[in-house]
Amino acid sequence: MDRKADPETQLMVDEAILDYLIYTAIKSLLKLLDRGSREEHNVHLPVQMVDAFLAVFRALHNNYNASGEIKFRLQLLQFTYVFVQHYHPITATRELSTRQTFNAGDLKVPQSRSPHQEQPHTIPLERTLPMFLALSAAQNELQGSTITEIWMMLAAGYMAQSYMEQVIVYQNQRPDLLEDAFHWGYDADCRSEEASDQWHISNMFDTDENLTHLWESIKEEHIEALRPPDKTSLEDHLEVMANGALSVVAFKDKVSEFLTGLLSAHAAPLLIQLEMGKVDGLSRKATAALKTRAGFIYETPDNI
């Protein structure tokens, strides 16, 4: 006689596996972002395993409502994947189909040639900027925090990089390009659907008056830095900025640090904690007992 697992138990197990796979994929992507092509061969499997398991998970638990932590980690994976693709193309063996993760078929791009000389099919930073802002808003809401001056500098730098790329790489000469790149902030007349990304982003900037003035000041500083001096072409000025005060390399490193910080700001998945030999709230002895009950067949050194 076949025995089926209790539905609640099965959901708990599957949820733990899903969280583990998402976390592992993010870690692999961040290693690629930090170390470059030396880690590329390690990225494919974790990313594809998330996509494959999500398809199975949704089939088994079609009415599942994910916890805030898993939703956030999945959003973090989505943005990290897209951002890493901008600098280190990841050739997928098949299209990753789930909208809640990412569509690799849209992101198959060749290697960048120089700081702001991506090939034509590289996903533009302009398209990833709203994802960065939505991820930041999700983090603030989940932890009950607010935007800081350090984050404002990073966000304004992201907008500057997006603008420079449009001018240098895509030869975009639209008159309102600079203004459009920095239009983000609180919109009292926001008509976006409640709980949409645009709605969350606008609310993120709905903070006290001092922070609002600081944000506008930081944006204006970046806008002024992007305007060329007399007798200097815009393209020449931006090339200098991209290799100096607004370094593309420094920007990538700052975003990498930001993403690493987001990942570490939340408790690691239970299966990761079991691997490490210490579960939050449990002694090492209790953790070892839990590992045995959970079917772990090896011991992790105590000094990990």
Side-chain angles (χ1 to χ4, degrees):
M1 180 176 179
D2 292 338
R3 297 178 60 188
K4 292 185 178 180
D6 174 73
E8 290 188 9
T9 301
Q10 186 65 57
L11 176 59
M12 289 176 59
V13 171
D14 290 345
E15 187 177 54
I17 294 172
L18 175 62
D19 201 19
Y20 175 88
L21 293 175
I22 293 170
Y23 183 92
T24 303
I26 295 170
K27 293 281 284 188
S28 297
L29 288 165
L30 289 175
K31 284 183 180 179
L32 176 58
L33 190 61
D34 180 50
R35 302 176 187 176
S37 58
R38 289 178 296 168
E39 295 291 332
E40 186 171 351
H41 67 286
N42 295 324
V43 172
H44 307 285
L45 185 59
V47 170
Q48 292 168 1
M49 285 180 68
V50 171
D51 187 66
F53 190 78
L54 269 173
V56 175
F57 188 95
R58 291 195 181 99
L60 293 174
H61 313 288
N62 55 358
N63 293 320
Y64 172 69
N65 184 22
S67 68
E69 289 285 344
I70 289 184
K71 284 181 180 178
F72 176 78
R73 239 189 298 263
L74 194 55
Q75 190 173 358
L76 176 57
L77 173 58
Q78 181 181 21
F79 173 76
T80 304
Y81 181 88
V82 172
F83 188 79
V84 170
Q85 277 280 18
H86 187 80
Y87 298 99
H88 303 285
I90 306 165
T91 305
T93 57
R94 67 183 184 87
E95 180 174 336
L96 301 176
S97 58
T98 51
R99 182 183 180 278
Q100 287 84 344
T101 45
F102 24 69
N103 290 299
D106 295 335
L107 303 173
K108 294 178 183 177
V109 294
Q111 182 65 45
S112 301
R113 293 171 292 177
S114 64
H116 260 309
Q117 290 295 321
E118 287 84 10
Q119 297 281 354
H121 298 296
T122 300
I123 182 171
L125 283 174
E126 182 182 52
R127 284 177 54 195
T128 69
L129 176 56
M131 296 176 65
F132 165 79
L133 295 173
L135 177 65
S136 300
Q139 164 72 359
N140 287 346
E141 290 178 14
L142 193 59
Q143 297 206 324
S145 55
T146 187
I147 55 178
T148 65
E149 183 175 358
I150 293 175
W151 179 87
M152 291 180 199
M153 292 296 294
L154 178 62
Y158 206 126
M159 294 168 194
Q161 293 291 333
S162 170
Y163 170 74
M164 290 192 296
E165 181 184 80
Q166 285 296 310
V167 174
I168 297 171
V169 179
Y170 299 101
Q171 287 83 51
N172 191 336
Q173 300 295 328
R174 201 173 74 238
D176 61 347
L177 185 63
L178 182 58
E179 178 183 347
D180 188 56
F182 285 88
H183 81 277
W184 303 94
Y186 175 60
D187 181 5
D189 299 319
C190 179
R191 297 181 180 178
S192 298
E193 183 179 349
E194 186 172 343
S196 66
D197 283 350
Q198 293 290 340
W199 185 83
H200 285 296
I201 292 169
S202 178
N203 281 355
M204 175 175 62
F205 288 105
D206 184 14
T207 183
D208 68 71
E209 189 174 346
N210 289 335
L211 285 177
T212 298
H213 286 318
L214 179 60
W215 172 236
E216 293 302 323
S217 175
I218 288 174
K219 284 200 298 181
E220 189 57 37
E221 287 176 8
H222 282 74
I223 290 171
E224 287 301 315
L226 292 168
R227 291 191 172 118
D230 292 341
K231 300 181 180 179
T232 303
S233 72
L234 177 60
E235 292 79 2
D236 288 346
H237 174 64
L238 295 184
E239 286 281 9
V240 171
M241 296 297 291
N243 288 284
L246 292 172
S247 165
V248 177
V249 175
F251 164 72
K252 187 183 82 166
D253 290 344
K254 288 176 183 177
V255 174
S256 178
E257 291 174 8
F258 172 73
L259 297 175
T260 300
L262 290 185
L263 185 64
S264 62
H266 300 262
L270 175 61
L271 294 182
I272 293 291
Q273 294 185 44
L274 285 172
E275 277 189 342
M276 300 298 289
K278 182 67 174 71
V279 173
D280 291 348
L282 296 181
S283 66
R284 286 191 176 275
K285 184 177 180 179
T287 299
L290 179 58
K291 287 174 67 174
T292 300
R293 292 198 302 273
F296 276 70
I297 60 174
Y298 66 90
E299 289 297 324
T300 303
D302 290 340
N303 61 351
I304 288 183

